[in-house]
Amino acid sequence: MKLDAKIPDYPIQDIWDKHKFELKLVNPANKRKYNIIVVGTGLAGASAAASLAELGYNIKNFCIQDSPRRAHSIAAQGGINAAKNYPNDGDSIWRLFYDTVKGGDYRSREANVYRLAQVSNNIIDQCVAQGVPFAREYGGLLANRSFGGAQVSRTFYARGQTGQQLLLGAYSSLMRQVKLGKVKIFARREMLELVLVDGKARGIVVRNLIDGKIERYEADAVVLATGGYGNVYYLSTNAKNSNVTASWRCHKKGAAFANPCFTQIHPTCIPVSGDYQSKLTLMSESLRNDGRVWVPKKKGDTRRPSEIPEDERDYYLERKYPSFGNLVPRDVASRNAKYVCDEGRGVGETGLAVYLDFADAIKRLGRKAIEDKYGNLFEMYERITGDNPYETPMRIYPAVHYTMGGLWVDYNLMSTIPGLFVLGEANFSDHGANRLGASALMQGLADGYFIIPYTIGNYLTSEELPKIDTEHAAFSQAEAEVDERVKKLLSIDGKKTVTEIHRELGKIMWDYVGMSRTKEGLEKALEEIPKLRDEFWQNVKIPADANNLNKNLEFAGRVADFLELAELMARDALNREESCGGHFREEHQTAEGEAKRNDKDFSYVAAWEYTGDGKTPKLHKEPLEFKYVKLTQRSYK
Amino acid sequence: MDRISLTLKVWRQKGPSEPGRLVSYELKDISTHMSFLEMLDVLNEQLIHKGEEPVEFDNDCREGICGMCSLVINGLPHGPQKSTATCQLHMRKFRDGETITIEPFRAKGFPVIKDLVVDRSAFDRIIQAGGYVSMNTGGAPDANNIPIAKEIADEAMDAAACIGCGACVAACPNASASLFTAAKISQLALLPQGHPERKRRARAMVAQMDAEGFGDCSNHAECEAVCPKNISILHIARMKREYLRTIFTA
């Protein structure tokens, strides 16, 4: 395997424009001769499928939910960044580029990030033209707000439902192409294998989730937009159906997996309330603008928060980081919450929570002002916890939120398998070791609307792609692999449910491959994960059969893949002997306890090649060069 | 932490053409902090351990935005709490010893697939009929070239907040999809981007709604009462106006 990012050698401002000119075009009359499979209908998948169909390609678009509109992009709250500089506060493409590279703690590619910043403005234009109801000022122009990691207001938003509105915009374009006959939607289908012919991605094998039938689909190229893998931790802010299976099956067919250990833990989520917990809900990070984070000074203090006097409270973020206080970046806030809970000073029934207190803000600004700012969030909090945050402090705790790692792609978004393109959260390319708020939506739509439509044409015209059909031996073999796996899962008939094993995996990952990692912990994870995987394959119990809607069978296949991915994540985290962004190794910190990068030895993308079941994966390094952004150490004291 | 015991009566149906029936299950020691779907998870774990088939129900984001969860709980789509999708309903809204009846959304346009899972693809087809602005990627003018009054943008956003869950259909005595269809027509009728196609859109989407077997609106307003996103029936009035416009204006 050879990693070639294929970044043209031009000044960074010119790379994308010159590259677009150099990419070969497909004659309009020929576009309709090409079939393209798009897996996933989130921001990246839906925007790609619609845009490619508009160009004339024939698209088959797959999703696991009952409708393309359900994809988890819909849950994004805060907003989408763009370098419009509408507020006249000094923003520019250059500044968005700079902030994103810095925010990613210098572990992303400069050229990719620059391109992302360049197309960010087109995304806003596109979405407004579709009828996305962004927030507006009284004069009728678009409103902006500020968001973490930036000193300018560049975030566009639609209340707290920006992801929903952007996704419905892309979905509407997609539905238009369905009506025009250029896209065919395959809902309630799960991709279970990638089909390679002559080493190129030429199709997929899916399970029809309603009747259990295995189906084959061919194409000239396959576009994967299947999201992130946060559910490897069992509990995360991801949707229940979010999974790594499509990516992982591609990895096992030859696609390198890059930086799997880069995961983002969001500091302000509603804490776990019991063993039955099925998912975690994010509370917008904007709450930290007015809320003060604290825990009791005393260990095991079970008094109600109102009974704990001021001088027995520890406002630990304000104490440790006097200049940034409660507004330190996500990773710093998360880690410190963990430390105080590890010390036994956590609050609530589980002791795994800290207070986010609005009492001072209400006293200072009045209840009305707080209600105007955060009313809907306070309501949501009360709906879930039964507590009223106007009267008692919120309890919050960090939760897994986003995965920066993913399948390795070159500048054209093509993986190490020719003809397999990977978009959105499923790829690794733009966020480095930490993603800034409001940048996920930007990247998903950039990839789908404005990058893949150009780069895929170049591939299609440059390659020999003889006609094949689904009777080809490669399809039969892929289907046989799927069949065998399903049969094997159903034959085990053990004692533990899929959920029980998934929960155990989540605990291992959270304890040892979570927000604070050590060599010993990671080595422990590398012992525990294979044991749990063995147990899964000997002792899992899946009810009913394969010829029917069977969610447990679906989840079993996904957990089986998570059990393999988990090991790769631990291995990657162990290899990366530095702290950067969301990856914090306790051995590598400054005297003040802050993340310490090692640019000399680890300024590279770690791309892992699958070498066979039970074999150690092979590490390939793509060196990262920084010609335009100056590397600095972050400090928030 | 409070713990309660419950009797569940759950609709079980093996497939679209099989007869269904309510089956009773006893559940003990349910924490009132659980969400409703977590309570069903607990039931399913117990069923799996007993070697029985778990209850199938659709769900995904579990934070009230994807619209995939459904369920008619004690006769009400999404259950007893106002402005709340089933996935955000919590067990503290129920009493110890209570019997809870759980059924699928019922409508001709939403055939049952299995147990509590129904087929809502009719909604996708209604959007396909015209729930979009016909524009291709790439040709958009600068976003601020289209000024829109804040009040109009806010009202469009109220309509656009629809999550496409189908509770409006399940609550309507006519099984009408008017609130769903109106929300999209209204959003795009309010915004200038939607104006060039407003007539064609209203005609095509209403025709598709009829073709899918959904009934007409007769102003019961049950849809608004159960909508987890508080979509107002005023949008249905706007849809009717848009539709009449297609008939009476050139």
Side-chain angles (χ1 to χ4, degrees), chain A residues 86 141, chain B residues 141-147:
Chain A
Y86 284 157
L141 301 185
Chain B
D142 184 88
N144 263 348
N145 275 351
I146 315 170

Side-chain angles (χ1 to χ4, degrees), chain A residues 82-96:
Chain A
K84 284 281 193 188
N85 192 33
Y86 284 157
N88 196 30
D89 57 359
D91 201 7
S92 60
I93 288 168
W94 192 266
R95 191 177 296 281
L96 175 55

Side-chain angles (χ1 to χ4, degrees), chain A residues 51 54 65 67 84 86 125 128 131 140 159 171 188 240-241 278-279 349 384 497 500 549 551, chain B residues 1 38 45 49 56-58 60-63 88 92 114 124 136-137 142-143 148 158 187 193:
Chain A
S51 302
E54 288 161 7
Q65 296 91 348
S67 161
K84 284 281 193 188
Y86 284 157
D125 300 343
V128 166
R159 295 195 186 143
Y171 162 81
R188 293 197 194 263
K240 290 304 286 178
N241 285 300
S278 62
K279 84 150 266 160
E349 276 179 48
I384 292 170
T497 67
E500 285 164 350
L549 180 61
K551 288 228 174 73
Chain B
M1 186 195 294
E38 284 166 351
E45 290 289 288
H49 276 298
E56 296 291 353
F57 58 92
D58 267 334
D60 200 19
C61 77
R62 296 201 176 193
E63 48 188 280
Q88 290 207 304
R92 64 182 75 90
K114 187 181 178 185
D124 288 332
N136 285 357
T137 304
D142 184 88
I148 300 170
D158 291 341
Q187 176 200 341
Q193 299 94 310

Side-chain angles (χ1 to χ4, degrees), chain A residues 106-110 602-605 622-626:
Chain A
Y106 312 98
R107 290 296 174 262
S108 53
R109 277 188 203 138
E110 281 189 332
F602 289 94
S603 189
Y604 64 77
V605 176
E622 180 201 333
L624 291 168
E625 283 174 69
F626 294 91

